[in-house]
């Protein structure tokens, strides 16, 4: 072996050693939070995504918090990340949006969602799009939507009660998708030849997968699903352009009107990306929340009783019990909102909220280097025993008299600060209306499934199969059960709510 080869060999070894050293000890102008950067390149990605059946703080977070404290460093999907389980730092991160921190999601997410989605957009364009979306899902639109939502939900529940059993996660996802797609783009799944939702399902199944784009992989199917869905959306937009409507009714009308304006910053590509994100953001999250809510009701008869009482009282105080839900009635559902808060607190549907440090940030003696990713960890906040007594217990009554504001340090199921979820109220409307129809008109029984897995996002690997049937109204029930004594009847109606 010549001296040159030896020299090169030594150089290679030195640079690899240096690389490994730098991987383990990243450069920083101050004190980095403690933690481990894991394996070269892979970091601790695999541990982070390891499935677990517990509803507690993910073991990945819990173990490291015990070892290193509430703020620690790690490496996920090829990026150095600071994890925050500290309520003050998390709050600070939300408040500093656009100044010290900026929304950031892993590159695979950007690839999948399109480069111009709301999540990764900043500044002026962002505010403009947000205004547009808020307009669509703001209180004025939602007020008008209540009868629509009620009609759709009741129709679906009735249909499910004619089936032997129904898998609730899929059924609610389909229902919410149809509702949102109808609202956004007037898409009617029954009249359309192509199935838009099918493409979204393929998309979601590969969303959190290894980003290897070759035929056969989940990631490949995911990208293909997105491509097909985008093509459908584009065709629909074209069709609308060819047949414009007089009055602006849905998002397409709005977009087309904006696109012809002079000096508009909106492009068709941006509008379609946004469309896709909205459809995705709405049906997956809300259907998980509804499925978990129904499971909680099955497991907690006292909660079911109080919820049923609240909704039957609404019907009783009406002149005509069939007159349909009003906005005022919706706003009066005190216990329902406590129930929804408790459900999303424990659901932890979004297990991590990502940001990027725009500049070097000092906090509590630690330094977060510029360019590093930061992950706020909602489960750590929602399962904090100092703020929520017996945090793993499902207890909607704990919310009684809790006067928290939307951007509270101790509740971030819908995020916080400037990026607070624009769909929050829309979700609540859908959940409240669903619960209303469910408990006043139906009874149900869990058949199988309902077990959860977190990867770390919430999943129902075996679905949640229930048997659902229509409640007879009280009078019918009383006559058909006339052989029962009064006390039996009282007991029966007690059981069924
Ligand atoms: C249970 C249901 C839902 C949960 C738990 C949820 C959760 C969240 C969270 C945690 C964020 C903040 C993300 C961040 O800060 O990076 C967020 C943002 C967002 N959500 Fe939701 N969401 C739900 C329903 C919806 C619905 C129904 C829609 C559609 C109308 C929606 C649309 C959005 C959008 C567009 C953003 C981005 C807002 C922005 O970046 O300013 N979400 N959501
Ligand atoms: C979940 O995490 C706990 C705590 O780290 C661990 O003991 C358990 O084996 C994990 N696995 C599953 C499948 O729940
Ligand atoms: C639910 O949580 C939000 C956010 O913390 C809060 O503003 C609201 O008052 C809570 N609702 C109830 C009924 O406790």
């Amino acid at each position: 072996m010549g001296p040159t080869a030896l020299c090169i060999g030594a150089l290679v070894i030195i640079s690899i050693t240096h690389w490994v050293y730098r991987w383990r000890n990243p450069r920083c102008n101050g004190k980095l939070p403690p933690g481990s950067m894991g394996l070269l390149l892979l970091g601790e990605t695999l541990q982070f995504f390891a499935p677990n059946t517990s509803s507690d703080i993910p073991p990945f977070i819990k173990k490291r918090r015990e070892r290193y404290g509430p703020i620690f460093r790690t490496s996920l999907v090829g990026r150095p990340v600071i994890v925050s389980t500290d309520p003050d730092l998390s709050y600070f991160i939300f408040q500093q949006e656009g100044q010290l921190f900026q929304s950031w999601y892993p590159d695979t997410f950007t690839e999948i969602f399109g480069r111009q989605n709301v999540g990764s957009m900043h500044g002026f364009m962002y505010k403009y799009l947000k205004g547009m979306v808020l307009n669509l899902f703001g209180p004025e639109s939602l007020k008008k939507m209540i009868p629509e939502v009620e009609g759709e939900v009741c129709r679906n529940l009735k249909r499910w009660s004619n089936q032997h059993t129904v898998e609730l996660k899929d059924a609610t996802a389909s229902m919410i998708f149809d509702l949102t797609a109808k609202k956004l783009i007037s898409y009617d799944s029954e009249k359309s030849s192509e199935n838009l939702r099918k493409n979204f399902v393929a998309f979601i199944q590969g969303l959190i997968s290894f980003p290897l784009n070759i035929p056969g992989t989940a990631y490949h199917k995911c990208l293909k699903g997105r491509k097909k869905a985008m093509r459908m959306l584009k065709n629909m937009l074209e069709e609308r352009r060819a047949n414009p409507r007089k009055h602006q009714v849905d998002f397409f009308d709005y977009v087309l009107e904006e696109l012809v304006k002079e000096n508009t910053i909106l492009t068709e590509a941006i509008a379609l990306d946004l469309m896709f994100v909205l459809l995705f953001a709405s049906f997956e999250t809300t259907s998980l929340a509804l499925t978990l809510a129904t499971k909680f009701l099955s497991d907690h008869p006292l909660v079911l009783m109080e919820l049923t009482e609240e909704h039957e009282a609404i019907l009783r105080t009406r002149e005509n019990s069939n007159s349909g839900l009003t906005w005022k009635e919706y706003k009066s559902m005190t216990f329902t909102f406590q129930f929804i808060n408790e459900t999303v607190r424990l659901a932890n549907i979004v297990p991590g909220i990502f940001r990027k440090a725009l500049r070097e940030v000092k906090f509590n003696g630690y330094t977060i280097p510029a360019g590093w990713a930061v992950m706020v960890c909602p489960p750590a906040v929602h399962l904090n025993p100092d703020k929520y007594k017996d945090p793993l217990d499902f207890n909607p009554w704990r919310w009684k008299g809790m006067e928290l504001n939307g951007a509270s340090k101790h509740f971030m199921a819908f995020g916080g600060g400037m990026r607070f979820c624009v769909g929050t109220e829309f979700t609540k409307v859908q959940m409240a209306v669903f619960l209303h129809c469910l408990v006043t008109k139906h009874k149900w029984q869990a058949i199988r499934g309902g077990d959860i897995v977190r990867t770390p996002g919430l999943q129902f690997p075996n679905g949640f199969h229930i048997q659902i049937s229509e409640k007879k109204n009280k009078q019918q029930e009383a006559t058909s059960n006339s052989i029962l004594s009064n006390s039996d009847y009282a007991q029966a109606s007690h059981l069924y709510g």
Side-chain angles (χ1 to χ4, degrees):
M1 208 173 354
T4 348
L6 256 172
C7 241
I8 292 176
L11 267 176
V12 167
I13 290 172
I14 288 170
S15 40
I16 289 179
T17 318
H18 183 74
W19 184 41
V20 172
Y21 177 80
R22 269 291 152 240
W23 180 267
R24 294 212 182 123
N25 306 281
R27 263 181 235 282
C28 176
N29 295 324
K31 191 169 140 211
L32 267 180
S36 154
M37 304 306 279
L39 300 171
L40 279 172
L41 298 176
L42 207 50
E44 300 189 298
T45 309
L46 297 181
Q47 292 96 314
F48 179 73
F49 287 115
N52 200 283
T53 51
S54 141
S55 269
D56 203 348
I57 301 172
F60 177 86
I61 302 291
K62 207 170 181 172
K63 272 190 217 150
R64 282 162 185 75
R65 193 178 64 176
E66 275 159 21
R67 197 175 314 155
Y68 305 119
I71 304 170
F72 57 87
R73 69 170 192 263
T74 178
S75 168
L76 303 175
V77 292
R79 288 285 297 245
V81 181
I82 301 292
V83 177
S84 165
T85 66
D86 179 282
D88 293 318
L89 177 57
S90 300
Y91 188 71
F92 179 70
I93 292 168
F94 286 148
Q95 295 314 304
Q96 288 293 317
E97 175 71 28
Q99 282 148 342
L100 292 179
F101 296 98
Q102 191 173 61
S103 177
W104 171 84
Y105 282 87
D107 292 342
T108 48
F109 275 54
T110 328
E111 187 60 37
I112 290 167
F113 278 118
R115 255 163 289 279
Q116 296 177 311
N117 69 67
V118 226
S120 60
M121 236 176 309
H122 319 291
F124 183 60
M125 182 49 133
Y126 170 74
K127 281 188 193 126
Y128 170 82
L129 284 178
K130 183 137 177 177
M132 218 156 86
V133 175
L134 276 178
N135 189 26
L136 217 71
F137 294 113
E140 283 314 308
S141 309
L142 289 176
K143 264 182 211 179
K144 282 187 235 140
M145 245 193 270
I146 293 239
E148 238 172 277
V149 178
E150 191 181 12
E152 188 77 12
V153 164
C154 290
R155 212 170 49 76
N156 274 285
L157 279 166
K158 199 174 170 129
R159 191 158 51 80
W160 301 341
S161 60
N162 292 326
Q163 285 164 225
H164 182 55
T165 62
V166 58
E167 198 285 285
L168 204 60
K169 170 63 184 63
D170 210 46
T172 50
S174 162
M175 176 183 81
I176 301 287
F177 186 86
D178 286 354
L179 253 170
T180 314
K182 205 180 253 174
K183 179 70 201 161
L184 282 172
I185 55 180
S186 309
Y187 172 75
D188 189 334
S189 60
E190 272 156 33
K191 290 200 193 117
S192 174
S193 54
E194 265 185 292
N195 190 336
L196 184 57
R197 190 173 87 91
K198 212 177 69 197
N199 294 321
F200 274 86
V201 171
F203 167 75
I204 286 162
Q205 281 168 352
L207 192 55
I208 303 180
S209 59
F210 197 77
L212 187 63
N213 187 13
I214 52 171
T217 62
Y219 184 67
H220 183 77
K221 283 185 198 138
C222 168
L223 290 179
K224 232 168 77 183
R226 172 178 158 88
K227 215 163 148 191
K228 275 198 194 155
M230 288 300 280
R231 198 166 48 226
M232 279 186 76
L233 290 172
K234 196 172 155 66
N235 288 343
M236 283 185 240
L237 184 64
E238 286 309 321
E239 210 167 287
R240 185 70 60 80
R241 203 199 299 268
N243 309 294
R245 300 199 280 208
K246 278 214 186 67
H247 299 287
Q248 200 198 85
V249 214
D250 65 10
F251 192 74
F252 275 168
D253 300 327
Y254 190 97
V255 166
L256 287 174
E257 221 164 89
E258 283 294 319
L259 283 176
V260 295
K261 276 188 191 158
E262 245 176 87
N263 306 328
T264 183
I265 46 172
L266 188 70
T267 66
E268 196 180 297
I270 293 177
L272 290 174
D273 268 350
L274 180 66
M275 197 81 276
F276 185 87
V277 172
L278 285 176
L279 282 170
F280 165 75
S282 58
F283 83 111
E284 189 59 11
T285 48
T286 309
S287 59
L288 283 169
L290 281 177
T291 306
L292 196 63
T294 310
K295 183 169 148 63
F296 281 143
L297 286 178
S298 302
D299 295 344
H300 298 85
L302 284 178
V303 176
L304 175 59
M305 230 165 73
E306 178 146 350
L307 195 73
T308 308
E309 176 46 36
E310 177 164 283
H311 287 275
E312 285 183 343
I314 289 176
L315 299 187
R316 274 201 304 274
T317 41
R318 269 187 203 161
E319 270 177 31
N320 172 1
S321 70
N322 292 325
S323 59
L325 270 175
T326 64
W327 185 252
K328 196 167 155 228
E329 286 167 348
Y330 165 70
K331 281 295 183 188
S332 77
M333 300 172 177
T334 317
F335 185 68
T336 306
F337 290 121
Q338 293 171 2
F339 173 80
I340 292 174
N341 270 15
E342 185 68 349
T343 301
V344 294
R345 177 183 76 84
L346 283 171
N348 284 311
I349 290 167
V350 177
I353 298 176
F354 286 90
R355 295 289 182 269
K356 187 171 86 180
L358 294 176
R359 275 176 272 152
E360 191 177 281
V361 181
K362 305 256 184 224
F363 188 88
N364 273 2
Y366 290 134
T367 299
I368 303 173
W372 276 47
V374 179
M375 187 184 89
V376 170
C377 186
V381 169
H382 295 153
L383 300 168
N384 175 0
D386 297 336
K387 290 297 158 195
Y388 299 99
K389 192 170 164 285
D390 301 320
L392 289 173
D393 288 357
F394 179 77
N395 174 13
W397 292 283
R398 72 167 83 237
W399 292 91
K400 211 183 262 172
M402 267 224 217
E403 292 299 310
L404 294 164
N405 56 41
S408 154
K409 281 186 194 174
H410 304 290
F411 187 78
M412 47 178 77
F414 298 102
M418 251 177 59
R419 298 256 159 180
F420 188 74
C421 174
V422 291
T424 309
E425 200 60 32
F426 184 41
T427 295
K428 288 188 177 172
V429 164
Q430 297 183 92
M431 289 185 74
V433 172
F434 179 84
L435 292 167
H436 178 76
C437 294
L438 181 69
V439 301
T440 55
K441 298 210 174 104
H442 300 274
K443 50 191 179 176
W444 74 95
Q445 211 180 356
I447 301 292
R448 70 194 155 83
D451 36 331
I452 62 162
V453 161
R454 290 168 193 274
T455 57
L458 175 65
Q459 283 179 314
F460 290 90
N462 306 312
F464 183 39
H465 300 258
I466 63 170
Q467 191 168 51
I468 178 165
S469 53
E470 283 186 272
K471 260 187 200 175
K472 295 171 190 158
N473 66 42
K474 285 271 150 83
Q475 274 154 5
Q476 273 175 3
E477 204 164 294
T479 25
S480 69
N481 288 343
S482 53
I483 359 157
L484 296 180
S485 70
N486 270 349
S487 72
D488 280 343
Y489 169 60
Q491 211 171 11
S493 66
H494 198 79
L495 278 177
Y496 295 134

